[in-house]
Amino acid sequence: MVYYAVTTPFVLIGEAWGEQEARFASPFLGPAGQELSRMLSQAGFGNELLPYNFTSAARMMYYWDKCKFPLLNVFDARPEGNNVELFFAPADDPAADRRFPVRRFGTSNYYVCKSMSHHVSALHAKLADLKPNVIIALGNTALWALGLPATIGKLRGNIVESKHGKVIPTYHPANILRNWANRTISVLDLNKARRESAYPDIRVPSRIIWPEPTIEDLYTWWDQHGKTCSLLAFDIETVRKTQVAEIGIASSPHMALHIPFVYRDDGQYISYWPDLETEAAAWDFVRMVCESPVPKIGQNVVQYDAYFMAKALGIPVLNIQHDTMTLAHAWQPELQKSLGFLGSLFLTEREWKSIRINTDKGDD
């Protein structure tokens, strides 16, 4: 029975065998695999949508064989009690194979057991042979095996670069069966992975950002890009929610202006502008932009950005057309609404919160 071809646009990597998988020596045959098939169907992969009275592992083998989907596991073995931690050993244990990345369980560091590490090597060899356009990593163990942080809650839905290729992680279907609220998220992640499977590279929009402007630059940008745009994106960042540190505006997905006011250097906040008169001129520009009739969009712009600007600075933000957080409430009331979450669903970006240098959440 063949589960992968010589070349393929995508592969799915799970954790280890369960009871039914061990019985037939084949992946994703039990309830988790059956649910995975339904999610793949709903994400547009073209496979038949199985009814919930379909419970036969033997028939599931035939189903996957007909789909020709590339199904892999980190471990082609079943741990006792389905506890994958048993395939790992404490860091100081002679059985630990330290050639592979460390895996954290609870507060302790573990390494894969020497007796099980050949499974991981075999997985890497299969990936090298397949060269998939995208790897769909199902859960933390798959992330670990790809040399990535085992933080599925942070990385899921995002495009992640690995030495084995482009990766989009999502929850393991066994997790879905325990936490049904994650199912919609996984279907959306799989839909994104299907789109990304058309090409192997990570494609992000090309952008031009004016980062360190003069007062003349501000008005030049506005004349060339801002005042005639159909929708102006607007976002502020604050220091301890008491002072505006910087403002970003964008006339399109490809053109943006960064307006700094303070920056952090060696633990100290320093004014970007050389003197009070120049900073006042920058604020005059900001007021002009905010009060302009150009339609505006932002994330939580009504409840935070516009409110802060009006209350703290007396600058109204006029003609707000869209608030993406409010739109997310209307679209899927039960899902998260943060910018990072929405970006993981709709953007071809890396998980940007994890690559910023200053991670002080007081500055946001």
Side-chain angles (χ1 to χ4, degrees):
M1 191 171 179
V2 177
Y3 287 102
Y4 51 88
V6 175
T7 59
T8 180
F10 68 94
V11 299
L12 296 119
I13 301 179
E15 183 176 80
W17 290 346
E19 179 181 0
Q20 296 301 326
E21 290 79 8
R23 178 185 175 193
F24 291 96
S26 190
F28 294 106
L29 302 182
Q34 293 158 20
E35 193 55 42
L36 174 63
S37 75
R38 299 182 188 101
M39 292 191 295
L40 289 169
S41 177
Q42 292 173 332
F45 281 80
N47 53 309
E48 177 188 356
L49 180 62
L50 293 179
Y52 276 96
N53 61 359
F54 186 106
T55 58
S56 168
R59 291 175 60 197
M60 199 67 200
M61 289 183 65
Y62 173 76
Y63 174 90
W64 285 129
D65 194 39
K66 183 171 63 173
C67 292
K68 302 282 188 228
F69 285 172
L71 306 175
L72 304 174
N73 269 324
V74 176
F75 300 106
D76 286 330
R78 183 192 183 193
E80 184 178 349
N82 293 335
N83 181 10
V84 77
E85 293 184 31
L86 298 178
F87 288 163
F88 293 79
D92 58 354
D93 192 317
D97 194 335
R98 302 177 72 93
R99 296 175 302 161
F100 293 86
V102 66
R103 176 81 187 272
R104 197 165 184 85
F105 293 109
T107 59
S108 301
N109 291 331
Y110 288 76
Y111 289 89
V112 65
C113 293
K114 293 177 180 177
S115 60
M116 302 303 300
S117 61
H118 67 281
H119 290 275
V120 186
S121 298
L123 171 67
H124 294 166
K126 291 174 184 176
L127 292 174
D129 180 53
L130 294 172
K131 297 180 177 62
N133 288 345
V134 67
I135 301 168
I136 304 173
L138 303 173
N140 279 328
T141 300
L143 283 173
W144 165 83
L146 295 170
L148 298 172
T151 53
I152 191 65
K154 290 183 178 180
L155 294 182
R156 57 126 299 275
N158 291 280
I159 299 172
V160 186
E161 187 175 5
S162 81
K163 64 180 181 181
H164 303 285
K166 181 173 63 178
V167 180
I168 293 187
T170 192
Y171 298 112
H172 193 282
N175 172 276
I176 301 301
L177 296 179
R178 297 190 298 268
N179 302 280
W180 198 249
N182 288 337
R183 190 181 189 280
T184 298
I185 299 172
S186 281
V187 172
L188 292 168
D189 292 344
L190 291 170
N191 184 276
K192 182 175 181 177
R194 179 184 57 80
R195 300 193 305 269
E196 287 291 324
S197 70
Y199 42 85
D201 51 318
I202 298 177
R203 299 181 182 180
V204 297
S206 60
R207 296 185 180 94
I208 298 175
I209 302 174
W210 294 28
E212 298 179 350
T214 63
I215 297 299
E216 182 182 359
D217 290 336
L218 298 181
Y219 286 95
T220 299
W221 187 95
W222 182 253
D223 290 338
Q224 293 180 359
H225 307 289
K227 66 181 182 181
T228 58
C229 71
S230 59
L231 195 62
L232 186 76
F234 177 82
D235 181 49
I236 71 171
E237 300 295 334
T238 59
V239 177
R240 304 296 173 185
K241 296 183 171 58
T242 60
Q243 178 182 351
V244 173
E246 54 195 334
I247 297 175
I249 57 176
S251 58
S252 75
H254 310 286
M255 176 59 65
L257 172 66
H258 173 238
I259 311 169
F261 286 97
V262 296
Y263 63 93
R264 194 172 184 177
D265 184 29
D266 196 24
Q268 300 294 319
Y269 290 100
I270 302 172
S271 176
Y272 168 78
W273 301 100
D275 51 58
L276 289 176
E277 182 180 359
T278 310
E279 181 172 337
W283 280 116
D284 288 340
F285 172 80
V286 171
R287 179 181 290 275
M288 181 272 295
V289 170
C290 291
E291 294 180 347
S292 74
V294 176
K296 299 173 184 70
I297 184 174
Q299 166 75 1
N300 200 24
V301 65
V302 173
Q303 296 186 72
Y304 186 72
D305 301 68
Y307 175 79
F308 187 96
M309 293 292 288
K311 181 179 179 181
L313 300 167
I315 300 177
V317 182
L318 303 182
N319 200 14
I320 298 174
Q321 294 289 303
H322 302 294
D323 186 318
T324 52
M325 179 174 283
T326 303
L327 290 170
H329 274 280
W331 170 62
Q332 288 282 356
E334 74 281 5
L335 294 185
Q336 302 171 46
K337 314 298 185 300
S338 70
L339 184 61
F341 178 78
L342 296 177
S344 74
L345 297 180
F346 300 115
L347 302 182
T348 57
E349 300 287 352
R350 292 185 296 164
E351 200 281 304
W352 62 86
K353 294 286 188 179
S354 65
I355 62 175
R356 61 183 181 179
I357 298 173
N358 178 19
T359 58
D360 187 342
K361 293 186 178 180
D363 299 345
D364 204 1

